[in-house]
Amino acid sequence: MTMWATVRLRPLVARSTLPPCRRWRDTGAYIHGVTCSPSPKVSYNRFHTTAICSPTRASLLTGRNSHNVGAGQITEAASGFPGYTGTIPKSAATLAKVLSGYGYDTAAFGKWHNTPVDDLMKSGPFDQYPTGLGFSYFYGFLAGETSQYNPRLYENTNPIEPPRKPEEGYHLTEDMADQAIKLIRANRALTPDRPFFIYFAPGGAHGPHHVHKEWADKYKGKFDMGWEKLRNITFEKQKAMGWIPNSTKLTPIDPTMVKWEEIPEEQRAFQLRLMEVYAGYLEHTDTQDGKVVEELERQGLFNNTLIIYVLGDNGASAEGIHGTIDELLAENALPSTYQQQMEVLNRDFGGLDALGSQHVDKMYHSSWAWALDTPFKSTKLVAAHFGGMRTPMVMSWPKAKKWKKGSTEKVIKHDPTPRSQFHHVCDIAPTIYEAVGVQFPTRVEGAKQMPLDGVSMVYTWNNVSVKERKSAQYFEVMGSRGVYKDGWFASVFGPRIPWAEANETRMREWNPDTDVWELYDLTRDFSQAEDLAKEMPDQVAKMKQIFLMEATANKVLPIGAGLYTIYYHPEEGPHSPLTEWKLYEGLTRIAESNAPGFHSGQNSLATIDVEISANASGVLYCVGGTAGGFSVYMDNGYLYAEYMSTLLYRYIAKSTTPLQPGTRKIQVRLIFETTKGLGPPADLTLFVDGQQVGWVKARRANGIWVRGRKASRVQSDERLRAAGEGDLMLALKRHGVFATWPAIELMPSTSFRWTLCQNPAEP
């Protein structure tokens, strides 16, 4: 995520970066580090996020704590609890909204993930889109992630297609940098007196890890030592660089994590390539960030630019669990083995070289995430340990012009010693307001404003040892929680173990009232290596009360509310109220949350009235992508339906005979078994003119979602032709259906109706 700002009273530019899931620990050992110009800058080694993406972004943009603005969970898992609505209130105006009132041009690029999924429709509402929250221009994606080769892009509020195809060398991060450069040039050419603010949030290095092979190949052999030794090397380099105190202790691997020695020799090439691709992706992303900085230098703006670079919106992600070619496996609690994944890679995509390509949504092993979080414990989604939320941050502002005299003055003097004052992502907005001389308004567009929760960090710029001004800060994500107060940190790990498959018993029996608290003295323990809870029960009790006060004031309660729709009651999560859809040709980019569903428990009957020619071939409708999908199509007169639960679980029903030419009523019925748990089996049955013609048992279903990045479309397109004995994924990949993203595709002269019901009757 990157931000730039200029102010009318002084021709100043400010920029900050917050790419998702990138770690400052990556600068150790053999991974390319962040490109920083030799200009004056200061760095921060005790800066914190919320341990999860959407809340971090909401906090950064508003200057308030995430729960306080309704962003205690990602938008797909919003609920009715006040701190988890997924809607930023008008009383919490964003940086962009405030700065636009002071004459700024404002623009956002890349990942957004703060628009309620219910609003993702052509008719809006648009008040929670980037443009509704203060940005004059937006170019990026609204979901939590997207393909870097076939992204689901938006320009302002309009869905658009990428300007080039993957075969033409397209990559989203490169496109974003180009678009940001174009905006800077337009501003300088047409409104050179107007300050600007740019929020730049590349999808890298969030999953899926997509980067061209030549970038990944740079790192061949660099990680052959395995994750424990990589962590040791990184730790020593951090101390040598002065990034962490010499007294820091390296925390041990968690007993529930997998050690490198436990990985069989025949599987190591797979695990190593996953990491090599990530490293190349990280370097590639940073290179694109550098292109935007270089443009400021070309324009003569760099010296008068405040740059705030935040390396990640949470800790390194353990969501790849055992290492995967498809992120959705873990998200839908689908089992997988190394053998299954290699079979798909070798059979369909040519082996390990496909990792990083558009064909797979790979994610590294969770123990690589632990190594990237050196020297801390845990990973993303843990608010108890700094591996989940601590990330490096850098600020640079070499010289500012004095408006009246025309001279310059140094603003940030270079200092290689990291700032160790405890700060949080909600402190970014107050820092920018103070830096550019903006007085935060009491009302914005008539709405009375909530107080800012953050504190400015300007006081640290030129005084490395100044006393910190942030005395308290809470953290919470899905029951994992912690609180900082005057050098002390108390925390609870929570019910979820991000690097392990879901433990039904642990989740079902979790009671926050009986959670075991940890206690750390951060004045002596940089890495949370020594838990003092048993030795100091009175201090634990004091910290628990402080957490309760902070949680109450910031709408965190009830503890665990972030799990309500994502685990305990998914039926109450955001979804369309419709039970029947009548779809027409030309409807495009229907968001997954508003489209007909086919997840576990959603029984449905799809009815298609279509005019069929002899030996017809083509897609009738398609929802999803290579990570998971549902499609009905024809090939040489045969009717097919495929239910794809990731690349590993594909179930295809085929008509016993070719369909006769003429007007036909095709019906596709999906009925799930009533067994408990995610992803119960389902019966997928095909009917033509009331007669059953095909059936298959889908034994593994998508338990929660296809992908937050997905959208659907209804389209008539003669180019969409399935071919090749029912191998839908490979056929459609060639013709641009599954290789792009979810779609409902209709053949010409087709009527389509999809009905959700408890027990669809026999047609």
Side-chain angles (χ1 to χ4, degrees), residues 35 37 193 220 289 298 307 311 416 445 449 653 687 699:
T35 297
S37 118
D193 61 333
K220 278 190 174 181
D289 292 337
R298 281 191 293 269
I307 299 179
L311 191 58
E445 296 180 347
Q449 293 298 292
F687 300 89
R699 301 193 178 278

Side-chain angles (χ1 to χ4, degrees), residues 296-375:
L296 285 180
E297 293 172 336
R298 281 191 293 269
Q299 297 286 347
L301 297 172
F302 182 73
N303 276 340
N304 194 29
T305 299
L306 168 62
I307 299 179
I308 306 175
Y309 192 105
V310 183
L311 191 58
D313 55 7
N314 43 239
S317 172
E319 291 156 306
I321 309 294
H322 302 300
T324 181
I325 64 173
D326 195 330
E327 293 176 286
L328 211 62
L329 287 164
E331 293 177 22
N332 283 294
L334 292 168
S336 65
T337 65
Y338 162 79
Q339 289 76 14
Q340 282 179 297
Q341 300 193 73
M342 286 307 303
E343 180 182 356
V344 171
L345 275 182
N346 291 329
R347 182 191 66 215
D348 297 339
F349 304 117
L352 290 179
D353 280 349
L355 296 175
S357 74
Q358 64 174 315
H359 305 306
V360 296
D361 289 354
K362 56 91 31 184
M363 175 67 76
Y364 53 45
H365 194 290
S366 57
S367 292
W368 286 124
W370 167 75
L372 296 177
D373 281 334
T374 304

Side-chain angles (χ1 to χ4, degrees), residues 160 199 208 315 455 506 624:
I160 62 171
Y199 170 88
V455 298
R506 181 184 175 98

Side-chain angles (χ1 to χ4, degrees), residues 226-241:
W227 38 72
E228 287 104 330
K229 290 184 179 179
L230 173 64
R231 188 170 162 98
N232 291 337
I233 294 169
T234 302
F235 178 66
E236 294 302 325
K237 187 169 183 179
Q238 289 170 342
K239 288 195 294 184
M241 294 169 61

Side-chain angles (χ1 to χ4, degrees), residues 4 61 122 127 175 267 361 370 404 424 454 481 555:
W4 303 81
L61 287 168
K122 283 195 172 182
D127 59 305
D175 184 19
Q267 298 182 18
D361 289 354
W370 167 75
K404 293 183 179 180
H424 185 265
R481 56 201 188 273
K555 308 183 183 71

Side-chain angles (χ1 to χ4, degrees), residues 497-511:
I497 303 177
W499 49 86
E501 287 86 357
N503 186 316
E504 293 289 332
T505 301
R506 181 184 175 98
M507 294 296 294
R508 186 172 59 253
E509 297 180 354
W510 174 60
N511 181 350

Side-chain angles (χ1 to χ4, degrees), residues 494-660:
R496 300 179 74 253
I497 303 177
W499 49 86
E501 287 86 357
N503 186 316
E504 293 289 332
T505 301
R506 181 184 175 98
M507 294 296 294
R508 186 172 59 253
E509 297 180 354
W510 174 60
N511 181 350
D513 292 334
T514 59
D515 277 334
V516 177
W517 284 74
E518 304 168 18
L519 179 69
Y520 302 97
D521 180 0
L522 300 185
T523 63
R524 298 183 301 168
D525 183 5
F526 184 83
S527 61
Q528 296 178 297
E530 186 178 359
D531 181 3
L532 304 174
K534 291 182 179 179
E535 301 172 26
M536 306 182 69
D538 291 343
Q539 183 65 24
V540 172
K542 178 181 177 181
M543 295 296 288
K544 288 171 67 175
Q545 283 301 116
I546 294 172
F547 175 82
L548 183 60
M549 289 188 293
E550 292 291 319
T552 302
N554 287 280
K555 308 183 183 71
V556 177
L557 304 178
I559 297 299
L563 292 166
Y564 186 77
T565 60
I566 201 170
Y567 184 82
Y568 294 109
H569 292 281
E571 75 279 1
E572 296 186 33
H575 64 277
S576 172
L578 298 178
T579 58
E580 183 169 296
W581 288 258
K582 176 73 173 180
L583 302 176
Y584 303 91
E585 295 176 21
L587 288 176
T588 60
R589 300 284 290 277
I590 306 170
E592 181 182 349
S593 55
N594 296 314
F598 57 97
H599 314 131
S600 60
Q602 293 186 304
N603 297 333
S604 64
L605 178 67
T607 303
I608 309 109
D609 294 309
V610 61
E611 183 75 24
I612 295 176
S613 60
N615 300 317
S617 294
V619 179
L620 293 169
Y621 66 88
C622 173
V623 185
T626 50
F630 187 30
S631 183
V632 176
Y633 65 101
M634 296 192 67
D635 182 22
N636 293 322
Y638 285 90
L639 176 66
Y640 292 83
E642 175 168 359
Y643 191 106
M644 176 190 271
S645 297
T646 74
L647 291 168
L648 302 191
Y649 299 104
R650 299 175 53 202
Y651 308 98
I652 300 175
K654 176 184 177 181
S655 63
T656 53
T657 61
L659 273 60
Q660 294 300 308

